[in-house]
Amino acid sequence: MADKKKLFIKTYGCQMNVYDSERMAEAMGGAGYETTDSAEGADMILLNTCHIREKAAEKVYSELGRFKGLKSENPDLKIGVAGCVAQAEGEEIMRRQPLVDLVVGPQSYHRLPEMEARTRSGEKALDTDFPEEDKFEKLKSRPKAKRGPAAFLTVQEGCDKFCAFCVVPYTRGAEVSRPVDRILTEARDLVERGVREITLLGQNVNAYHGAGPKGDMTLAGLIWELDRIDGLERIRFTTSHPNDMMDDLIEAHGSCAKLMPYLHLPVQSGSDRILKRMNRSHDRDSYLRLVERIRAARPDILLSGDFIVGFPEETEADFQDTMDLIQEVEYGQAFSFKYSSRPGTPAAERALVDDAEASDRLYRLQALITRQQRAVQDRMVGREVSVLFEKPGRFDGQMLGKSEYLHAVHVADAGARVGDLARVRIVESGANSLSGVLAGA
Ligand code: SAM
Ligand code: SF4
């Protein structure tokens, strides 16, 4: 048998890109490739890119520049750009960096093997279509090899919300939900391969409305279907929009034992004036009332959020509204960003907040979030949690895993294997993780 060719994929950005990279690696597996951990010696390098902020997009070009030496050592090396930068910049990428052979958008990557074949005959290949066909149908069924216990599964793509700052509706296209039966088949396959926890992915995952046997199904309906799969122990989903947090989903958080008590619910700002200018379609009060209802259904739920500071026209008073909202909610985790102007979005036309001021706000917000995060984590000490072990730790017998609240937990002398679920008593809270002992030990 001929030696397999080597594919190096570097993934930037969100979990959807992580899932897409896995699917692209599998698709290229059918074209004689296996993945490798290093760009050196690879036959093909693929950067799966993120366009959400300017820094993320620019990183791609500096990374590409680094491959010049590899390409001159091995002229047969093929270099591809996938993901949202590919979608947004298309041919421009090959113009700016001529060593790129292939550019493929997130909706066309099922065509990757055929595009790679074209590059082997000396062509440049570009595909940033939003094709009629469903890429998931065109992709071959997933291989059956054993895999780690936690997996992502994309159930919904694209977004119709058009927040004023965001490129997603342009790079990922309109909101589309995958049919229920396809998702269940993929979930069962993953469970057969050793998966015990599935995180359902979508840019707007709680707007899910995939075709089911009796018409469209909501995300809660899909979760209850997944709940029936033996061997699947944990279900998560991300990312949710506050306006799509329907009653049946809130109720599922109270009653579905496999649905983990963790919810990523981005608010972006605590100022009504800014939320309006962001076109977020929820306000501060509706968000806070929503949080109350979710906590009434599942009191121990850990909430996580996204925040943008320095959005055009944001004043210190607007920023203080965001800080007050954070105080009121108490987040267990959060992602915060300085506003980055993205070409083609409505907010890109507006006057920027002074950069030093925006940086200072980000610093203050992150300090508050870090304190909250740490306080929530510290309160876990003395509690018993369930941990799904994902990998061995650095020390003999040590295992690392995640609690139901998504805290990283390490356990010494766990006497456990990857994929085991165990009850663990938390004994210590560190900078970014908890440590515990097996309950009853
Ligand atoms: N769909 C999700 C939602 O509505 O919250 C988020 C998707 S986006 C990939 C992830 C996060 O990136 C957003 O929640 C937002 O905080 C941040 N983000 C998006 N565009 C941004 C921009 N232009 N500048 C800074 N942060 C941005
Ligand atoms: Fe972007 Fe807003 Fe859609 Fe989230 S809801 S992906 S922030 S446009």
Side-chain angles (χ1 to χ4, degrees), residues 116-127:
E116 185 268 351
R118 274 171 33 217
T119 65
R120 294 279 156 210
S121 55
E123 274 180 56
K124 296 245 178 196
L126 169 81
D127 193 337

Side-chain angles (χ1 to χ4, degrees), residues 285-349:
D285 193 48
S286 63
Y287 182 85
L288 290 172
R289 276 186 286 121
L290 176 62
V291 166
E292 251 172 47
R293 284 171 53 223
I294 294 164
R295 284 196 166 134
R298 180 78 203 223
D300 63 337
I301 201 161
L302 188 144
L303 287 178
S304 121
D306 285 350
F307 299 91
I308 296 179
V309 302
F311 185 75
E313 300 155 24
E314 183 190 69
T315 61
E316 178 61 24
D318 293 316
F319 173 68
Q320 281 308 327
D321 285 345
T322 304
M323 296 289 270
D324 290 349
L325 179 137
I326 294 172
Q327 295 277 17
E328 206 164 328
V329 173
E330 193 177 45
Y331 290 91
Q333 207 190 356
F335 304 91
S336 47
F337 314 98
K338 190 159 72 168
Y339 169 72
S340 168
S341 175
R342 306 312 289 129
T345 59
E349 310 294 315

Side-chain angles (χ1 to χ4, degrees), residues 222-230 232 235 256-258:
L222 178 66
I223 287 168
W224 283 113
E225 289 295 319
L226 290 160
D227 180 67
R228 287 160 44 182
I229 299 180
D230 280 342
L232 177 62
I235 304 167
C256 179
K258 289 186 182 178

Side-chain angles (χ1 to χ4, degrees), residues 359-391:
S359 297
D360 180 59
R361 287 178 197 165
L362 184 64
Y363 177 80
R364 285 183 280 157
L365 184 143
Q366 287 181 339
L368 172 60
I369 290 282
T370 305
R371 282 200 303 277
Q372 280 197 345
Q373 227 166 278
R374 189 60 197 258
V376 171
Q377 196 189 285
D378 290 352
R379 286 207 295 270
M380 292 286 157
V381 175
R383 281 184 59 177
E384 208 178 288
V385 295
S386 102
V387 176
L388 176 63
F389 291 119
E390 294 181 7
K391 56 181 180 192

Side-chain angles (χ1 to χ4, degrees), residues 159 161-163 165-166 168-169 203-204 241 268 280:
C159 181
K161 296 270 192 301
F162 291 93
C163 298
F165 50 80
C166 183
V168 168
Q203 290 298 350
N204 235 302
H241 190 285
Q268 313 299 355
R280 278 295 288 183

Side-chain angles (χ1 to χ4, degrees), residues 39-292:
E40 283 76 31
D43 300 283
M44 181 174 180
I45 295 174
L46 196 58
L47 299 184
N48 192 10
T49 61
C50 173
H51 198 245
I52 202 86
R53 283 169 290 277
E54 191 182 358
K55 247 193 208 145
E58 283 305 311
K59 238 191 246 164
V60 175
Y61 288 102
S62 55
E63 188 74 28
L64 285 169
R66 277 192 224 130
F67 299 142
K68 265 195 189 127
L70 293 177
K71 186 100 170 174
S72 53
E73 277 165 31
N74 172 16
D76 287 338
L77 168 66
K78 298 300 172 198
I79 296 179
V81 177
C84 291
V85 175
Q87 190 61 46
E89 299 190 8
E91 214 168 352
E92 169 72 8
I93 299 175
M94 291 174 178
R95 204 188 53 73
R96 247 181 98 172
Q97 184 46 273
L99 59 74
V100 172
D101 300 284
L102 176 158
V103 172
V104 62
Q107 296 311 334
S108 321
Y109 65 68
H110 54 296
R111 299 175 178 161
L112 193 55
E114 173 255 318
M115 292 173 73
E116 185 268 351
R118 274 171 33 217
T119 65
R120 294 279 156 210
S121 55
E123 274 180 56
K124 296 245 178 196
L126 169 81
D127 193 337
T128 51
D129 286 352
F130 286 103
E132 282 290 309
E133 77 254 20
D134 174 359
K135 70 168 174 262
F136 295 109
E137 292 305 296
K138 298 283 168 188
L139 286 164
K140 292 213 172 59
S141 51
R142 307 192 67 173
K144 300 284 180 223
K146 269 269 171 230
R147 48 161 303 150
F152 293 133
L153 203 175
T154 293
V155 301
Q156 178 272 326
E157 288 194 290
C159 181
D160 295 337
K161 296 270 192 301
F162 291 93
C163 298
F165 50 80
C166 183
V167 290
V168 168
Y170 312 95
T171 56
R172 291 263 171 183
E175 194 194 296
V176 182
S177 296
R178 296 179 66 194
V180 174
D181 60 340
R182 304 300 196 293
I183 295 167
L184 294 179
T185 305
E186 199 173 324
R188 283 190 208 100
D189 275 4
L190 287 169
V191 170
E192 269 173 39
R193 294 169 60 192
V195 168
R196 304 190 78 187
E197 170 179 310
I198 291 182
T199 302
L200 307 174
L201 299 182
Q203 290 298 350
N204 235 302
V205 72
N206 54 344
Y208 176 82
H209 55 274
K214 296 185 200 135
D216 279 5
M217 198 176 259
T218 60
L219 183 67
L222 178 66
I223 287 168
W224 283 113
E225 289 295 319
L226 290 160
D227 180 67
R228 287 160 44 182
I229 299 180
D230 280 342
L232 177 62
E233 307 294 344
R234 292 173 152 197
I235 304 167
R236 304 181 187 275
F237 59 89
T238 197
T239 294
S240 296
H241 190 285
N243 274 20
D244 293 314
M245 211 57 212
M246 296 305 162
D247 290 349
D248 60 348
L249 189 55
I250 297 176
E251 202 267 325
H253 267 296
S255 55
C256 179
K258 289 186 182 178
L259 185 56
M260 293 294 101
Y262 179 99
L263 179 65
H264 185 54
L265 195 65
V267 64
Q268 313 299 355
S269 167
S271 152
D272 279 343
R273 200 176 69 83
I274 293 297
L275 286 170
K276 218 179 202 136
R277 296 292 283 152
M278 285 179 165
N279 193 30
R280 278 295 288 183
S281 66
H282 59 79
D283 59 20
R284 171 196 181 87
D285 193 48
S286 63
Y287 182 85
L288 290 172
R289 276 186 286 121
L290 176 62
V291 166
E292 251 172 47

